[in-house]
PDB file of all heavy atoms in Angstrom:
ATOM      1  N   VAL N1163       1.553  14.023   8.747  1.00 94.00           N
ATOM      2  CA  VAL N1163       2.180  12.914   9.464  1.00 94.00           C
ATOM      3  C   VAL N1163       2.984  12.030   8.510  1.00 94.00           C
ATOM      4  O   VAL N1163       4.086  11.589   8.842  1.00 94.00           O
ATOM      5  CB  VAL N1163       1.103  12.076  10.213  1.00 94.00           C
ATOM      6  CG1 VAL N1163       1.690  10.793  10.745  1.00 94.00           C
ATOM      7  CG2 VAL N1163       0.497  12.901  11.336  1.00 94.00           C
ATOM      8  N   LEU N1164       2.456  11.789   7.315  1.00 94.00           N
ATOM      9  CA  LEU N1164       3.128  10.905   6.352  1.00 94.00           C
ATOM     10  C   LEU N1164       4.163  11.626   5.489  1.00 94.00           C
ATOM     11  O   LEU N1164       4.891  10.976   4.741  1.00 94.00           O
ATOM     12  CB  LEU N1164       2.084  10.239   5.448  1.00 94.00           C
ATOM     13  CG  LEU N1164       1.135   9.277   6.172  1.00 94.00           C
ATOM     14  CD1 LEU N1164       0.058   8.804   5.221  1.00 94.00           C
ATOM     15  CD2 LEU N1164       1.894   8.105   6.754  1.00 94.00           C
ATOM     16  N   GLY N1165       4.223  12.944   5.598  1.00 94.00           N
ATOM     17  CA  GLY N1165       5.194  13.696   4.806  1.00 94.00           C
ATOM     18  C   GLY N1165       4.845  13.760   3.334  1.00 94.00           C
ATOM     19  O   GLY N1165       5.713  13.706   2.473  1.00 94.00           O
ATOM     20  N   VAL N1166       3.554  13.878   3.057  1.00 93.00           N
ATOM     21  CA  VAL N1166       3.063  13.919   1.677  1.00 93.00           C
ATOM     22  C   VAL N1166       2.426  15.285   1.439  1.00 93.00           C
ATOM     23  O   VAL N1166       1.739  15.809   2.313  1.00 93.00           O
ATOM     24  CB  VAL N1166       2.004  12.799   1.465  1.00 93.00           C
ATOM     25  CG1 VAL N1166       1.366  12.888   0.107  1.00 93.00           C
ATOM     26  CG2 VAL N1166       2.617  11.446   1.681  1.00 93.00           C
ATOM     27  N   ASN N1167       2.634  15.846   0.268  1.00 95.00           N
ATOM     28  CA  ASN N1167       1.952  17.088  -0.076  1.00 95.00           C
ATOM     29  C   ASN N1167       0.478  16.804  -0.342  1.00 95.00           C
ATOM     30  O   ASN N1167       0.134  15.815  -0.998  1.00 95.00           O
ATOM     31  CB  ASN N1167       2.562  17.716  -1.326  1.00 95.00           C
ATOM     32  CG  ASN N1167       3.934  18.276  -1.066  1.00 95.00           C
ATOM     33  OD1 ASN N1167       4.236  18.719   0.032  1.00 95.00           O
ATOM     34  ND2 ASN N1167       4.765  18.254  -2.084  1.00 95.00           N
ATOM     35  N   ARG N1168      -0.373  17.689   0.178  1.00 95.00           N
ATOM     36  CA  ARG N1168      -1.802  17.503  -0.043  1.00 95.00           C
ATOM     37  C   ARG N1168      -2.151  17.555  -1.523  1.00 95.00           C
ATOM     38  O   ARG N1168      -2.975  16.779  -2.007  1.00 95.00           O
ATOM     39  CB  ARG N1168      -2.593  18.586   0.689  1.00 95.00           C
ATOM     40  CG  ARG N1168      -3.456  18.016   1.773  1.00 95.00           C
ATOM     41  CD  ARG N1168      -4.367  19.029   2.394  1.00 95.00           C
ATOM     42  NE  ARG N1168      -3.684  20.284   2.674  1.00 95.00           N
ATOM     43  CZ  ARG N1168      -4.323  21.412   2.952  1.00 95.00           C
ATOM     44  NH1 ARG N1168      -5.629  21.452   2.958  1.00 95.00           N
ATOM     45  NH2 ARG N1168      -3.655  22.515   3.218  1.00 95.00           N
ATOM     46  N   SER N1169      -1.501  18.446  -2.252  1.00 96.00           N
ATOM     47  CA  SER N1169      -1.787  18.563  -3.676  1.00 96.00           C
ATOM     48  C   SER N1169      -1.411  17.274  -4.411  1.00 96.00           C
ATOM     49  O   SER N1169      -2.096  16.866  -5.355  1.00 96.00           O
ATOM     50  CB  SER N1169      -1.046  19.752  -4.279  1.00 96.00           C
ATOM     51  OG  SER N1169       0.354  19.571  -4.147  1.00 96.00           O
ATOM     52  N   SER N1170      -0.352  16.616  -3.964  1.00 94.00           N
ATOM     53  CA  SER N1170       0.044  15.342  -4.571  1.00 94.00           C
ATOM     54  C   SER N1170      -1.002  14.274  -4.312  1.00 94.00           C
ATOM     55  O   SER N1170      -1.306  13.460  -5.185  1.00 94.00           O
ATOM     56  CB  SER N1170       1.394  14.883  -4.029  1.00 94.00           C
ATOM     57  OG  SER N1170       2.397  15.823  -4.321  1.00 94.00           O
ATOM     58  N   TYR N1171      -1.546  14.265  -3.092  1.00 94.00           N
ATOM     59  CA  TYR N1171      -2.600  13.298  -2.775  1.00 94.00           C
ATOM     60  C   TYR N1171      -3.812  13.520  -3.676  1.00 94.00           C
ATOM     61  O   TYR N1171      -4.342  12.563  -4.247  1.00 94.00           O
ATOM     62  CB  TYR N1171      -3.032  13.406  -1.310  1.00 94.00           C
ATOM     63  CG  TYR N1171      -4.372  12.757  -1.053  1.00 94.00           C
ATOM     64  CD1 TYR N1171      -4.526  11.376  -1.090  1.00 94.00           C
ATOM     65  CD2 TYR N1171      -5.514  13.530  -0.849  1.00 94.00           C
ATOM     66  CE1 TYR N1171      -5.766  10.783  -0.895  1.00 94.00           C
ATOM     67  CE2 TYR N1171      -6.749  12.951  -0.654  1.00 94.00           C
ATOM     68  CZ  TYR N1171      -6.873  11.582  -0.678  1.00 94.00           C
ATOM     69  OH  TYR N1171      -8.093  10.989  -0.509  1.00 94.00           O
ATOM     70  N   TYR N1172      -4.235  14.774  -3.830  1.00 95.00           N
ATOM     71  CA  TYR N1172      -5.417  15.051  -4.649  1.00 95.00           C
ATOM     72  C   TYR N1172      -5.158  14.734  -6.121  1.00 95.00           C
ATOM     73  O   TYR N1172      -6.048  14.266  -6.827  1.00 95.00           O
ATOM     74  CB  TYR N1172      -5.873  16.498  -4.473  1.00 95.00           C
ATOM     75  CG  TYR N1172      -6.517  16.725  -3.117  1.00 95.00           C
ATOM     76  CD1 TYR N1172      -5.974  17.624  -2.212  1.00 95.00           C
ATOM     77  CD2 TYR N1172      -7.652  16.018  -2.737  1.00 95.00           C
ATOM     78  CE1 TYR N1172      -6.552  17.822  -0.971  1.00 95.00           C
ATOM     79  CE2 TYR N1172      -8.240  16.204  -1.491  1.00 95.00           C
ATOM     80  CZ  TYR N1172      -7.682  17.109  -0.616  1.00 95.00           C
ATOM     81  OH  TYR N1172      -8.249  17.290   0.612  1.00 95.00           O
ATOM     82  N   LYS N1173      -3.939  14.964  -6.582  1.00 95.00           N
ATOM     83  CA  LYS N1173      -3.607  14.612  -7.960  1.00 95.00           C
ATOM     84  C   LYS N1173      -3.651  13.091  -8.135  1.00 95.00           C
ATOM     85  O   LYS N1173      -4.154  12.587  -9.136  1.00 95.00           O
ATOM     86  CB  LYS N1173      -2.219  15.147  -8.333  1.00 95.00           C
ATOM     87  CG  LYS N1173      -1.869  14.918  -9.761  1.00 95.00           C
ATOM     88  CD  LYS N1173      -0.651  15.684 -10.178  1.00 95.00           C
ATOM     89  CE  LYS N1173      -0.430  15.469 -11.656  1.00 95.00           C
ATOM     90  NZ  LYS N1173       0.445  16.435 -12.238  1.00 95.00           N
ATOM     91  N   TRP N1174      -3.135  12.359  -7.156  1.00 94.00           N
ATOM     92  CA  TRP N1174      -3.183  10.887  -7.195  1.00 94.00           C
ATOM     93  C   TRP N1174      -4.634  10.420  -7.211  1.00 94.00           C
ATOM     94  O   TRP N1174      -5.008   9.539  -7.975  1.00 94.00           O
ATOM     95  CB  TRP N1174      -2.453  10.315  -5.969  1.00 94.00           C
ATOM     96  CG  TRP N1174      -2.611   8.841  -5.828  1.00 94.00           C
ATOM     97  CD1 TRP N1174      -1.868   7.871  -6.434  1.00 94.00           C
ATOM     98  CD2 TRP N1174      -3.578   8.150  -5.035  1.00 94.00           C
ATOM     99  NE1 TRP N1174      -2.313   6.629  -6.067  1.00 94.00           N
ATOM    100  CE2 TRP N1174      -3.366   6.770  -5.208  1.00 94.00           C
ATOM    101  CE3 TRP N1174      -4.608   8.568  -4.192  1.00 94.00           C
ATOM    102  CZ2 TRP N1174      -4.140   5.807  -4.572  1.00 94.00           C
ATOM    103  CZ3 TRP N1174      -5.373   7.617  -3.556  1.00 94.00           C
ATOM    104  CH2 TRP N1174      -5.141   6.261  -3.751  1.00 94.00           C
ATOM    105  N   ARG N1175      -5.468  11.017  -6.349  1.00 94.00           N
ATOM    106  CA  ARG N1175      -6.877  10.627  -6.262  1.00 94.00           C
ATOM    107  C   ARG N1175      -7.610  10.886  -7.574  1.00 94.00           C
ATOM    108  O   ARG N1175      -8.386  10.049  -8.047  1.00 94.00           O
ATOM    109  CB  ARG N1175      -7.552  11.408  -5.136  1.00 94.00           C
ATOM    110  CG  ARG N1175      -8.986  10.981  -4.898  1.00 94.00           C
ATOM    111  CD  ARG N1175      -9.706  11.943  -4.011  1.00 94.00           C
ATOM    112  NE  ARG N1175      -9.838  13.227  -4.711  1.00 94.00           N
ATOM    113  CZ  ARG N1175     -10.419  14.295  -4.198  1.00 94.00           C
ATOM    114  NH1 ARG N1175     -10.875  14.286  -2.979  1.00 94.00           N
ATOM    115  NH2 ARG N1175     -10.514  15.404  -4.903  1.00 94.00           N
ATOM    116  N   ASP N1176      -7.333  12.029  -8.203  1.00 95.00           N
ATOM    117  CA  ASP N1176      -8.019  12.377  -9.447  1.00 95.00           C
ATOM    118  C   ASP N1176      -7.548  11.525 -10.626  1.00 95.00           C
ATOM    119  O   ASP N1176      -8.248  11.413 -11.628  1.00 95.00           O
ATOM    120  CB  ASP N1176      -7.819  13.857  -9.767  1.00 95.00           C
ATOM    121  CG  ASP N1176      -8.503  14.755  -8.738  1.00 95.00           C
ATOM    122  OD1 ASP N1176      -9.389  14.252  -8.006  1.00 95.00           O
ATOM    123  OD2 ASP N1176      -8.131  15.944  -8.651  1.00 95.00           O
TER     124      ASP N1176
END
Side-chain angles (χ1 to χ4, degrees):
V1163 170
L1164 294 174
V1166 174
N1167 289 329
R1168 245 187 316 165
S1169 62
S1170 299
Y1171 162 71
Y1172 287 119
K1173 185 168 184 163
W1174 172 85
R1175 185 192 66 180
D1176 294 342

